[in-house]
Amino acid sequence: MTDADGVWLYAVTSAADVGEDLGDLTGVAGEVVRPVVSGDLAAVVGSVPLAVFGDEPLRRNLEDLTWLEATARAHDAVVSALARQGTAVPLRLAIVFRDDDRVRGMLEERRAAFESALALVRGRTEWGVKAYGDRAALTAAVAEADLAKSARGGAGTAYLLRRRAQLSAQETVERDAAERADRIHELLVRQAAAGRRQPVTDPVLNGRRDWMVLNGTYLVDDDRADEFASAVKDLENRFAGIRLELTGPWPPYSFAGAERDTT
């Protein structure tokens, strides 16, 4: 490492879980990654050129979507490899320190938070569940449910009730979808060690036309992953008009919660 280099952070793990030699694992600049140890904690880092990863050039590069995608993939490859080897708290993209001493200072200052995060994610991985609403199917399902509550009278009355239920369901479809998303998230959290709702993705950004009503991340015990997947499938069958998409397992980015902004 030279004065022209900075230190890019990938993850924090237990010093006992990471050796001095991390093999052929390389990072965002093609650098060999290495541990910086402080007590029983270790930050896995890489030395990167400040000409590319310093404050100003990094700010410009992050606006280059091609560069950003490649860098994010390289960052995640390191984090994923560490997560496969043992318990690791993944750090968000683009945390750069000036030198190893500052990294050690961060580990010492944030020791309690990192230890808590490591305890939380140990033996667990992150799963994502996205819920998409089908407006027509959801409207029909709500209308049928409302009609079943009030069905009475002859054919003419039944027609009026059905039409009224359909119009009412069209007016309340946004609220009904939100209520279903709330309930699905609540039930999935019960199947997980922790759960968080993330902002729903704008269709313009993800290139899809689906109506996303839930973007949830869940920290699941590794030995209950199959059970969690079954719960997701059961919920999709239970809530008409809602399609669920399960992804994972992922490193527990959503549950790291211990890192601080760059120094």
Side-chain angles (χ1 to χ4, degrees), residues 135 138-140 142-143 146 163-177 211:
R135 290 180 183 273
L138 184 56
T139 298
V142 172
D146 290 344
R163 183 58 179 159
R164 185 180 301 166
Q166 290 172 342
L167 292 173
S168 176
Q170 290 172 1
E171 293 175 355
T172 64
V173 66
E174 298 275 352
R175 185 194 68 197
D176 295 326
W211 176 29

Side-chain angles (χ1 to χ4, degrees), residues 85-213:
Q85 293 175 11
T87 304
V89 174
L91 301 181
R92 62 177 174 78
L93 192 70
I95 298 180
V96 182
F97 284 79
R98 283 289 178 177
D99 53 42
D100 288 3
D101 285 342
R102 287 178 171 83
V103 175
R104 292 187 186 93
M106 178 273 298
L107 290 175
E108 184 59 36
E109 181 181 347
R110 303 290 294 164
R111 179 172 302 279
F114 281 122
E115 288 175 347
S116 294
L118 284 167
L120 175 63
V121 303
R122 184 170 291 113
R124 295 165 174 155
T125 46
E126 180 174 322
W127 293 80
V129 178
K130 292 181 174 63
Y132 298 94
D134 181 322
R135 290 180 183 273
L138 184 56
T139 298
V142 172
E144 286 299 320
D146 290 344
L147 184 63
K149 296 176 184 177
S150 58
R152 61 184 182 274
T157 300
Y159 171 79
L160 292 175
L161 288 173
R162 181 177 297 278
R163 183 58 179 159
R164 185 180 301 166
Q166 290 172 342
L167 292 173
S168 176
Q170 290 172 1
E171 293 175 355
T172 64
V173 66
E174 298 275 352
R175 185 194 68 197
D176 295 326
E179 289 176 351
R180 280 165 167 73
D182 290 345
R183 185 58 175 157
I184 289 170
H185 177 67
E186 176 186 342
L187 293 171
L188 287 177
V189 168
R190 295 181 185 178
Q191 299 290 328
R196 291 182 178 174
R197 294 186 70 161
Q198 310 294 344
V200 296
T201 307
D202 188 327
V204 174
L205 297 179
N206 64 14
R208 300 175 59 160
R209 301 178 63 183
D210 308 64
W211 176 29
M212 186 185 295
V213 296

Side-chain angles (χ1 to χ4, degrees), residues 130-134 208 210 236 239 241-245:
K130 292 181 174 63
Y132 298 94
D134 181 322
R208 300 175 59 160
D210 308 64
E236 184 172 48
F239 290 91
I242 299 292
R243 178 175 60 83
L244 298 181
E245 181 181 274

